[in-house]
Amino acid sequence: MPVFTASLGSVSSGLAFLSHLFDNTCHNAALITNPAPSFNFPCFISRSYSSKRATFLKVSVSSGSTTRTDDGLDQAVLPDRRSADWKAARAYHEKGIIYEGRIEGFNGGGLLIKFYSLIGFLPFPQLSPAHSCKEPHKSIQDIARALTGSIIPVKVIQADEENRKLIFSEKETAWSRYSSQLKVGDLYQGMVGSVEDYGAFVHLRFPDGQYRLTGLVHVSEVSWDLVQDVRDVLTEGDKVNVKIVNIDREKSRITLSIKQLEEDPLLETLDKVIPQDASVDSDTLSANGQLTIEPLPGLDTIIGELLKEDGIDDVRIRRQGFEKRVVSQDLQLWLSNAPPIKDQYTLLARAGRQVQEIQLTTSLNQDGIKRVLQHVLDRVP
């Protein structure tokens, strides 16, 4: 992807140009040697002054007002220049071109970025995590102050001339450059950023040692234990290991998991939870000596729906047990990896600490059972 650098400031010749974005049909203008992008704009030459320098127009994104330059000239006399620069901003946005922008200053919400004659805004949440992770103990204001005067690669994510909104993102640039290195299943070391009710944002450390991209660990992916509040488990600045479980390249989103770095404790300890030779309490036996187990809430409905499916001959709860930890209060149902015995497969149901093993007698194969389960679960509210 092309990266262009604009030379900003005054033009000693008295002629101000829209840098390299214009074609070279202008007369009496010195050519700028930066490579030109594929789109063209009409040539514009500002009015010249015999004894003054021509300086760039500055437009405030927050107020929409123009300013006066250090030579005291009212820059409102350059509307064509301003319009051309807004046209350039829209082109950068539409084509996804990376722009090397100079940081002119900052305010309470973000950085002020020079874009030719315009001043745009980069909100702090759109900064690359590389800055905050490099010096995690610094406040965002101190980071912004240290960045002032430097040049960073950004993308235009909004160019609204009518409302004077020119918004940049450094994160989008990082996504363009580094997301292709990601694959589902990859393991990364990460640093916890913000922690929300629904999960924690984790910055991923790349092989060069820099934290380039950010993903979300949903509250359900933090631990196999039941997590009521993510803040009880994770704190900003924590170092964690994560696994990439999903990448949405269209929306530039990464889904991460911490708990999937460990095996599901139920699958590790099922025989300990429900021993094959476990004794049966007397209150689980009916009058005729048959084992009776009260189904988990909602499970009886699922069993009834399964019996309506073609190929399902019988469904019954065989045994139950209790885990030491609460994994989820919601009912979970899945097909065990245990090999079938003749035409009998094993399903596992879990809610809270309680686990129930279900025997499924069927003429279907494993893929057929999965399809039937999906159909049933889609019907059951």
Side-chain angles (χ1 to χ4, degrees):
M1 181 170 292
V3 178
F4 305 111
T5 304
S7 176
L8 306 174
S10 63
V11 182
S12 59
S13 65
L15 301 178
F17 299 92
L18 184 54
S19 186
H20 53 274
L21 289 180
F22 296 114
D23 58 29
N24 59 5
T25 59
C26 300
H27 301 290
N28 302 320
L31 293 177
I32 297 177
T33 59
N34 287 342
S38 60
F39 48 89
N40 294 315
F41 295 93
C43 177
F44 170 73
I45 301 178
S46 70
R47 70 173 65 205
S48 60
Y49 305 94
S50 58
S51 59
K52 298 286 186 178
R53 296 179 301 163
T55 57
F56 292 147
L57 171 68
K58 293 183 179 180
V59 178
S60 170
V61 173
S62 59
S63 65
S65 61
T66 58
T67 62
R68 297 178 67 87
T69 61
D70 56 3
D71 61 6
L73 296 175
D74 187 351
Q75 294 303 296
V77 300
L78 301 175
D80 290 342
R81 171 59 187 275
R82 181 174 60 185
S83 178
D85 287 353
W86 277 109
K87 186 175 182 181
R90 290 192 296 272
Y92 270 80
H93 180 215
E94 293 167 2
K95 295 180 179 292
I97 297 174
I98 296 173
Y99 175 79
E100 298 282 347
R102 178 183 173 85
I103 301 173
E104 295 293 306
F106 64 95
N107 57 28
L111 305 175
L112 304 178
I113 306 290
K114 190 73 172 277
F115 183 83
Y116 303 112
S117 66
L118 309 176
I119 294 293
F121 186 65
L122 191 152
F124 285 138
Q126 291 297 327
L127 265 177
S128 164
H131 307 294
S132 58
C133 292
K134 184 178 180 180
E135 299 177 287
H137 301 298
K138 271 192 173 183
S139 69
I140 191 63
Q141 297 294 322
D142 288 339
I143 292 173
R145 186 174 294 107
L147 287 173
T148 300
S150 62
I151 294 176
I152 61 173
V154 296
K155 278 191 173 185
V156 178
I157 59 175
Q158 185 176 3
D160 184 349
E161 181 178 3
E162 182 178 353
N163 294 302
R164 294 295 188 267
K165 289 184 178 179
L166 180 56
I167 311 298
F168 297 100
S169 171
E170 188 185 20
K171 278 187 174 180
E172 286 297 314
T173 299
W175 178 266
S176 297
R177 290 178 169 176
Y178 300 105
S179 64
S180 61
Q181 301 179 27
L182 303 179
K183 298 189 301 293
V184 172
D186 284 349
L187 307 182
Y188 278 85
Q189 184 186 75
M191 180 183 293
V192 177
S194 62
V195 181
E196 310 293 341
D197 293 339
Y198 51 84
F201 289 95
V202 175
H203 309 309
L204 303 181
R205 186 175 184 268
F206 275 64
D208 62 0
Q210 297 296 316
Y211 293 85
R212 301 294 188 182
L213 299 174
T214 303
L216 174 67
V217 179
H218 189 267
V219 59
S220 63
E221 292 295 325
V222 172
S223 172
W224 288 110
D225 292 323
L226 180 63
V227 177
Q228 298 284 6
D229 189 336
V230 184
R231 297 170 184 84
D232 293 337
V233 182
L234 298 175
T235 304
E236 185 175 350
D238 286 350
K239 298 289 185 64
V240 294
N241 294 319
V242 294
K243 179 181 180 179
I244 297 178
V245 295
N246 187 57
I247 303 171
D248 188 333
R249 299 193 183 278
E250 184 176 340
K251 296 182 179 179
S252 304
R253 293 177 181 173
I254 308 167
T255 304
L256 306 170
S257 176
I258 295 175
K259 78 177 189 181
Q260 290 192 30
L261 294 175
E262 302 176 358
E263 289 292 334
D264 183 336
L266 175 63
L267 301 180
E268 289 181 336
T269 62
L270 180 59
D271 286 338
K272 294 179 181 179
V273 173
I274 311 175
Q276 293 288 346
D277 58 350
S279 60
V280 179
D281 295 335
S282 59
D283 59 1
T284 65
L285 295 176
S286 63
N288 60 5
Q290 296 297 316
L291 181 65
T292 59
I293 298 175
E294 185 69 23
L296 293 170
L299 183 57
D300 53 347
T301 302
I302 293 174
I303 291 175
E305 292 297 321
L306 280 171
L307 289 170
K308 297 177 183 178
E309 294 286 331
D310 293 336
I312 304 296
D313 301 321
D314 187 38
V315 183
R316 64 180 62 193
I317 300 173
R318 292 186 60 243
R319 55 189 179 139
Q320 69 176 353
F322 296 87
E323 297 185 87
K324 294 181 180 180
R325 64 174 91 187
V326 175
V327 177
S328 174
Q329 296 291 1
D330 298 329
L331 176 64
Q332 299 177 340
L333 182 69
W334 67 97
L335 181 63
S336 171
N337 290 326
I341 300 175
K342 294 184 179 180
D343 57 353
Q344 294 178 343
Y345 288 80
T346 300
L347 299 178
L348 297 173
R350 173 172 61 186
R353 292 181 52 242
Q354 197 169 1
V355 183
Q356 293 182 349
E357 186 178 81
I358 303 162
Q359 184 182 78
L360 186 70
T361 305
T362 176
S363 59
L364 301 174
N365 60 20
Q366 194 171 58
D367 289 338
I369 295 172
K370 290 179 180 179
R371 285 193 295 269
V372 165
L373 283 173
Q374 189 60 59
H375 292 160
V376 168
L377 296 176
D378 288 342
R379 291 201 305 268
V380 175

PDB file of all heavy atoms in Angstrom, residues 14 36 47 52 60 76 80 87 132 159-160 173 203 206 244 253 259 277 312 327 341 360 372 375:
ATOM      1  N   GLY A  14       6.283  31.901  -2.672  1.00  0.00           N
ATOM      2  CA  GLY A  14       5.035  32.656  -2.707  1.00  0.00           C
ATOM      3  C   GLY A  14       3.919  31.886  -3.363  1.00  0.00           C
ATOM      4  O   GLY A  14       2.819  32.393  -3.511  1.00  0.00           O
ATOM      5  N   ALA A  36       3.511   9.998  -7.044  1.00  0.00           N
ATOM      6  CA  ALA A  36       2.119  10.439  -7.104  1.00  0.00           C
ATOM      7  C   ALA A  36       1.188   9.252  -7.037  1.00  0.00           C
ATOM      8  O   ALA A  36       1.448   8.213  -7.602  1.00  0.00           O
ATOM      9  CB  ALA A  36       1.870  11.196  -8.414  1.00  0.00           C
ATOM     10  N   ARG A  47      -2.971  32.799  -4.483  1.00  0.00           N
ATOM     11  CA  ARG A  47      -2.507  34.130  -4.885  1.00  0.00           C
ATOM     12  C   ARG A  47      -1.168  34.411  -4.230  1.00  0.00           C
ATOM     13  O   ARG A  47      -0.888  33.968  -3.132  1.00  0.00           O
ATOM     14  CB  ARG A  47      -3.532  35.195  -4.491  1.00  0.00           C
ATOM     15  CG  ARG A  47      -3.656  35.439  -2.981  1.00  0.00           C
ATOM     16  CD  ARG A  47      -4.569  36.619  -2.709  1.00  0.00           C
ATOM     17  NE  ARG A  47      -5.925  36.307  -3.142  1.00  0.00           N
ATOM     18  CZ  ARG A  47      -6.794  37.235  -3.477  1.00  0.00           C
ATOM     19  NH1 ARG A  47      -6.453  38.504  -3.447  1.00  0.00           N
ATOM     20  NH2 ARG A  47      -8.019  36.902  -3.836  1.00  0.00           N
ATOM     21  N   LYS A  52       5.299  38.862   1.262  1.00  0.00           N
ATOM     22  CA  LYS A  52       4.896  37.988   2.352  1.00  0.00           C
ATOM     23  C   LYS A  52       5.055  36.528   1.929  1.00  0.00           C
ATOM     24  O   LYS A  52       4.984  36.196   0.753  1.00  0.00           O
ATOM     25  CB  LYS A  52       3.426  38.239   2.734  1.00  0.00           C
ATOM     26  CG  LYS A  52       3.148  39.648   3.241  1.00  0.00           C
ATOM     27  CD  LYS A  52       3.677  39.838   4.637  1.00  0.00           C
ATOM     28  CE  LYS A  52       3.263  41.192   5.208  1.00  0.00           C
ATOM     29  NZ  LYS A  52       3.738  41.340   6.584  1.00  0.00           N
ATOM     30  N   SER A  60      -9.983  24.296  12.073  1.00  0.00           N
ATOM     31  CA  SER A  60     -10.209  23.620  13.332  1.00  0.00           C
ATOM     32  C   SER A  60     -11.332  22.617  13.177  1.00  0.00           C
ATOM     33  O   SER A  60     -12.430  22.962  12.762  1.00  0.00           O
ATOM     34  CB  SER A  60     -10.559  24.629  14.435  1.00  0.00           C
ATOM     35  OG  SER A  60     -11.000  23.947  15.591  1.00  0.00           O
ATOM     36  N   ALA A  76      -8.972  33.034   5.019  1.00  0.00           N
ATOM     37  CA  ALA A  76     -10.260  32.767   4.397  1.00  0.00           C
ATOM     38  C   ALA A  76     -10.249  33.115   2.918  1.00  0.00           C
ATOM     39  O   ALA A  76     -11.189  32.805   2.196  1.00  0.00           O
ATOM     40  CB  ALA A  76     -11.351  33.556   5.106  1.00  0.00           C
ATOM     41  N   ASP A  80     -10.527  27.841  -2.355  1.00  0.00           N
ATOM     42  CA  ASP A  80     -10.254  26.803  -3.343  1.00  0.00           C
ATOM     43  C   ASP A  80      -9.248  25.792  -2.806  1.00  0.00           C
ATOM     44  O   ASP A  80      -9.357  24.595  -3.044  1.00  0.00           O
ATOM     45  CB  ASP A  80      -9.731  27.434  -4.634  1.00  0.00           C
ATOM     46  CG  ASP A  80     -10.818  28.212  -5.365  1.00  0.00           C
ATOM     47  OD1 ASP A  80     -12.002  27.980  -5.057  1.00  0.00           O
ATOM     48  OD2 ASP A  80     -10.463  29.033  -6.221  1.00  0.00           O
ATOM     49  N   LYS A  87     -11.119  17.400  -0.769  1.00  0.00           N
ATOM     50  CA  LYS A  87     -11.243  16.409  -1.831  1.00  0.00           C
ATOM     51  C   LYS A  87     -10.146  15.354  -1.698  1.00  0.00           C
ATOM     52  O   LYS A  87     -10.377  14.156  -1.892  1.00  0.00           O
ATOM     53  CB  LYS A  87     -11.165  17.096  -3.191  1.00  0.00           C
ATOM     54  CG  LYS A  87     -11.426  16.156  -4.365  1.00  0.00           C
ATOM     55  CD  LYS A  87     -11.443  16.918  -5.680  1.00  0.00           C
ATOM     56  CE  LYS A  87     -11.743  15.985  -6.854  1.00  0.00           C
ATOM     57  NZ  LYS A  87     -11.749  16.719  -8.158  1.00  0.00           N
ATOM     58  N   SER A 132       1.070   3.054  24.374  1.00  0.00           N
ATOM     59  CA  SER A 132       0.734   2.864  25.784  1.00  0.00           C
ATOM     60  C   SER A 132       1.428   1.632  26.368  1.00  0.00           C
ATOM     61  O   SER A 132       1.781   1.631  27.556  1.00  0.00           O
ATOM     62  CB  SER A 132      -0.784   2.727  25.959  1.00  0.00           C
ATOM     63  OG  SER A 132      -1.294   1.647  25.187  1.00  0.00           O
ATOM     64  N   ALA A 159     -14.147  11.884   6.482  1.00  0.00           N
ATOM     65  CA  ALA A 159     -13.820  13.151   5.820  1.00  0.00           C
ATOM     66  C   ALA A 159     -15.136  13.827   5.451  1.00  0.00           C
ATOM     67  O   ALA A 159     -15.669  13.634   4.367  1.00  0.00           O
ATOM     68  CB  ALA A 159     -12.947  12.925   4.597  1.00  0.00           C
ATOM     69  N   ASP A 160     -15.670  14.600   6.374  1.00  0.00           N
ATOM     70  CA  ASP A 160     -16.970  15.259   6.213  1.00  0.00           C
ATOM     71  C   ASP A 160     -16.735  16.767   6.120  1.00  0.00           C
ATOM     72  O   ASP A 160     -16.639  17.458   7.145  1.00  0.00           O
ATOM     73  CB  ASP A 160     -17.860  14.914   7.406  1.00  0.00           C
ATOM     74  CG  ASP A 160     -19.275  15.473   7.267  1.00  0.00           C
ATOM     75  OD1 ASP A 160     -19.509  16.300   6.364  1.00  0.00           O
ATOM     76  OD2 ASP A 160     -20.139  15.085   8.071  1.00  0.00           O
ATOM     77  N   THR A 173      -4.239   1.682  10.327  1.00  0.00           N
ATOM     78  CA  THR A 173      -2.967   1.481   9.630  1.00  0.00           C
ATOM     79  C   THR A 173      -2.287   0.210  10.121  1.00  0.00           C
ATOM     80  O   THR A 173      -1.783  -0.593   9.334  1.00  0.00           O
ATOM     81  CB  THR A 173      -2.038   2.687   9.847  1.00  0.00           C
ATOM     82  OG1 THR A 173      -2.660   3.858   9.325  1.00  0.00           O
ATOM     83  CG2 THR A 173      -0.706   2.485   9.163  1.00  0.00           C
ATOM     84  N   HIS A 203      -3.897  -6.424  24.148  1.00  0.00           N
ATOM     85  CA  HIS A 203      -2.983  -6.021  23.083  1.00  0.00           C
ATOM     86  C   HIS A 203      -2.016  -7.170  22.797  1.00  0.00           C
ATOM     87  O   HIS A 203      -1.424  -7.740  23.731  1.00  0.00           O
ATOM     88  CB  HIS A 203      -2.207  -4.769  23.480  1.00  0.00           C
ATOM     89  CG  HIS A 203      -3.079  -3.645  23.968  1.00  0.00           C
ATOM     90  ND1 HIS A 203      -4.173  -3.189  23.261  1.00  0.00           N
ATOM     91  CD2 HIS A 203      -3.021  -2.894  25.105  1.00  0.00           C
ATOM     92  CE1 HIS A 203      -4.743  -2.204  23.917  1.00  0.00           C
ATOM     93  NE2 HIS A 203      -4.070  -2.008  25.036  1.00  0.00           N
ATOM     94  N   PHE A 206       3.825  -8.738  19.095  1.00  0.00           N
ATOM     95  CA  PHE A 206       4.319  -9.365  17.872  1.00  0.00           C
ATOM     96  C   PHE A 206       5.796  -9.755  18.032  1.00  0.00           C
ATOM     97  O   PHE A 206       6.459  -9.350  19.000  1.00  0.00           O
ATOM     98  CB  PHE A 206       4.118  -8.418  16.689  1.00  0.00           C
ATOM     99  CG  PHE A 206       2.750  -8.516  16.084  1.00  0.00           C
ATOM    100  CD1 PHE A 206       1.616  -8.172  16.813  1.00  0.00           C
ATOM    101  CD2 PHE A 206       2.576  -8.991  14.784  1.00  0.00           C
ATOM    102  CE1 PHE A 206       0.346  -8.287  16.275  1.00  0.00           C
ATOM    103  CE2 PHE A 206       1.308  -9.116  14.236  1.00  0.00           C
ATOM    104  CZ  PHE A 206       0.192  -8.763  14.975  1.00  0.00           C
ATOM    105  N   ILE A 244      -6.020 -17.060  19.558  1.00  0.00           N
ATOM    106  CA  ILE A 244      -6.939 -16.450  18.597  1.00  0.00           C
ATOM    107  C   ILE A 244      -7.991 -17.484  18.214  1.00  0.00           C
ATOM    108  O   ILE A 244      -7.660 -18.567  17.715  1.00  0.00           O
ATOM    109  CB  ILE A 244      -6.198 -15.963  17.338  1.00  0.00           C
ATOM    110  CG1 ILE A 244      -5.192 -14.868  17.705  1.00  0.00           C
ATOM    111  CG2 ILE A 244      -7.178 -15.446  16.301  1.00  0.00           C
ATOM    112  CD1 ILE A 244      -4.387 -14.355  16.526  1.00  0.00           C
ATOM    113  N   ARG A 253     -11.776  -7.187  13.506  1.00  0.00           N
ATOM    114  CA  ARG A 253     -11.964  -7.620  14.886  1.00  0.00           C
ATOM    115  C   ARG A 253     -11.284  -8.961  15.133  1.00  0.00           C
ATOM    116  O   ARG A 253     -11.308  -9.843  14.280  1.00  0.00           O
ATOM    117  CB  ARG A 253     -13.451  -7.744  15.220  1.00  0.00           C
ATOM    118  CG  ARG A 253     -14.191  -6.405  15.239  1.00  0.00           C
ATOM    119  CD  ARG A 253     -15.669  -6.625  15.504  1.00  0.00           C
ATOM    120  NE  ARG A 253     -16.400  -5.361  15.491  1.00  0.00           N
ATOM    121  CZ  ARG A 253     -17.728  -5.262  15.571  1.00  0.00           C
ATOM    122  NH1 ARG A 253     -18.456  -6.366  15.686  1.00  0.00           N
ATOM    123  NH2 ARG A 253     -18.320  -4.089  15.546  1.00  0.00           N
ATOM    124  N   LYS A 259      -9.140 -19.162  28.365  1.00  0.00           N
ATOM    125  CA  LYS A 259      -9.462 -20.469  28.927  1.00  0.00           C
ATOM    126  C   LYS A 259      -9.161 -21.604  27.959  1.00  0.00           C
ATOM    127  O   LYS A 259      -8.901 -22.734  28.394  1.00  0.00           O
ATOM    128  CB  LYS A 259     -10.923 -20.516  29.376  1.00  0.00           C
ATOM    129  CG  LYS A 259     -11.940 -20.700  28.279  1.00  0.00           C
ATOM    130  CD  LYS A 259     -13.347 -20.816  28.857  1.00  0.00           C
ATOM    131  CE  LYS A 259     -14.353 -21.224  27.797  1.00  0.00           C
ATOM    132  NZ  LYS A 259     -15.724 -21.315  28.358  1.00  0.00           N
ATOM    133  N   ASP A 277     -18.056 -46.995  38.361  1.00  0.00           N
ATOM    134  CA  ASP A 277     -18.546 -47.903  39.396  1.00  0.00           C
ATOM    135  C   ASP A 277     -19.132 -47.144  40.576  1.00  0.00           C
ATOM    136  O   ASP A 277     -19.152 -47.625  41.702  1.00  0.00           O
ATOM    137  CB  ASP A 277     -17.410 -48.815  39.881  1.00  0.00           C
ATOM    138  CG  ASP A 277     -16.235 -48.005  40.423  1.00  0.00           C
ATOM    139  OD1 ASP A 277     -16.235 -46.765  40.236  1.00  0.00           O
ATOM    140  OD2 ASP A 277     -15.330 -48.610  41.015  1.00  0.00           O
ATOM    141  N   ILE A 312     -33.605 -41.488  15.746  1.00  0.00           N
ATOM    142  CA  ILE A 312     -33.367 -41.510  17.187  1.00  0.00           C
ATOM    143  C   ILE A 312     -34.332 -42.507  17.815  1.00  0.00           C
ATOM    144  O   ILE A 312     -35.555 -42.319  17.798  1.00  0.00           O
ATOM    145  CB  ILE A 312     -33.571 -40.113  17.821  1.00  0.00           C
ATOM    146  CG1 ILE A 312     -32.668 -39.086  17.139  1.00  0.00           C
ATOM    147  CG2 ILE A 312     -33.301 -40.181  19.324  1.00  0.00           C
ATOM    148  CD1 ILE A 312     -31.193 -39.331  17.311  1.00  0.00           C
ATOM    149  N   VAL A 327     -18.842 -23.950  36.165  1.00  0.00           N
ATOM    150  CA  VAL A 327     -18.348 -23.494  34.876  1.00  0.00           C
ATOM    151  C   VAL A 327     -19.329 -22.530  34.237  1.00  0.00           C
ATOM    152  O   VAL A 327     -18.966 -21.485  33.726  1.00  0.00           O
ATOM    153  CB  VAL A 327     -18.069 -24.691  33.945  1.00  0.00           C
ATOM    154  CG1 VAL A 327     -17.633 -24.209  32.569  1.00  0.00           C
ATOM    155  CG2 VAL A 327     -16.996 -25.588  34.550  1.00  0.00           C
ATOM    156  N   ILE A 341     -20.745 -47.420  21.448  1.00  0.00           N
ATOM    157  CA  ILE A 341     -20.823 -48.864  21.684  1.00  0.00           C
ATOM    158  C   ILE A 341     -22.039 -49.355  20.917  1.00  0.00           C
ATOM    159  O   ILE A 341     -23.177 -49.050  21.262  1.00  0.00           O
ATOM    160  CB  ILE A 341     -20.952 -49.173  23.182  1.00  0.00           C
ATOM    161  CG1 ILE A 341     -19.742 -48.619  23.936  1.00  0.00           C
ATOM    162  CG2 ILE A 341     -21.092 -50.667  23.419  1.00  0.00           C
ATOM    163  CD1 ILE A 341     -19.835 -48.770  25.430  1.00  0.00           C
ATOM    164  N   LEU A 360     -27.709 -42.109  24.042  1.00  0.00           N
ATOM    165  CA  LEU A 360     -28.498 -41.878  22.838  1.00  0.00           C
ATOM    166  C   LEU A 360     -28.399 -43.123  21.951  1.00  0.00           C
ATOM    167  O   LEU A 360     -27.319 -43.485  21.495  1.00  0.00           O
ATOM    168  CB  LEU A 360     -27.958 -40.651  22.096  1.00  0.00           C
ATOM    169  CG  LEU A 360     -28.728 -40.153  20.881  1.00  0.00           C
ATOM    170  CD1 LEU A 360     -30.063 -39.542  21.302  1.00  0.00           C
ATOM    171  CD2 LEU A 360     -27.911 -39.113  20.126  1.00  0.00           C
ATOM    172  N   VAL A 372     -28.910 -33.358  13.889  1.00  0.00           N
ATOM    173  CA  VAL A 372     -30.153 -33.488  14.642  1.00  0.00           C
ATOM    174  C   VAL A 372     -30.118 -32.598  15.882  1.00  0.00           C
ATOM    175  O   VAL A 372     -31.101 -31.908  16.202  1.00  0.00           O
ATOM    176  CB  VAL A 372     -30.389 -34.961  15.030  1.00  0.00           C
ATOM    177  CG1 VAL A 372     -31.466 -35.071  16.115  1.00  0.00           C
ATOM    178  CG2 VAL A 372     -30.799 -35.773  13.808  1.00  0.00           C
ATOM    179  N   HIS A 375     -30.723 -29.031  14.870  1.00  0.00           N
ATOM    180  CA  HIS A 375     -32.132 -28.792  14.553  1.00  0.00           C
ATOM    181  C   HIS A 375     -32.965 -28.633  15.824  1.00  0.00           C
ATOM    182  O   HIS A 375     -33.799 -27.745  15.948  1.00  0.00           O
ATOM    183  CB  HIS A 375     -32.696 -29.950  13.719  1.00  0.00           C
ATOM    184  CG  HIS A 375     -32.117 -30.038  12.342  1.00  0.00           C
ATOM    185  ND1 HIS A 375     -32.164 -31.203  11.598  1.00  0.00           N
ATOM    186  CD2 HIS A 375     -31.477 -29.128  11.576  1.00  0.00           C
ATOM    187  CE1 HIS A 375     -31.572 -30.984  10.432  1.00  0.00           C
ATOM    188  NE2 HIS A 375     -31.135 -29.744  10.399  1.00  0.00           N
TER     189      HIS A 375
END
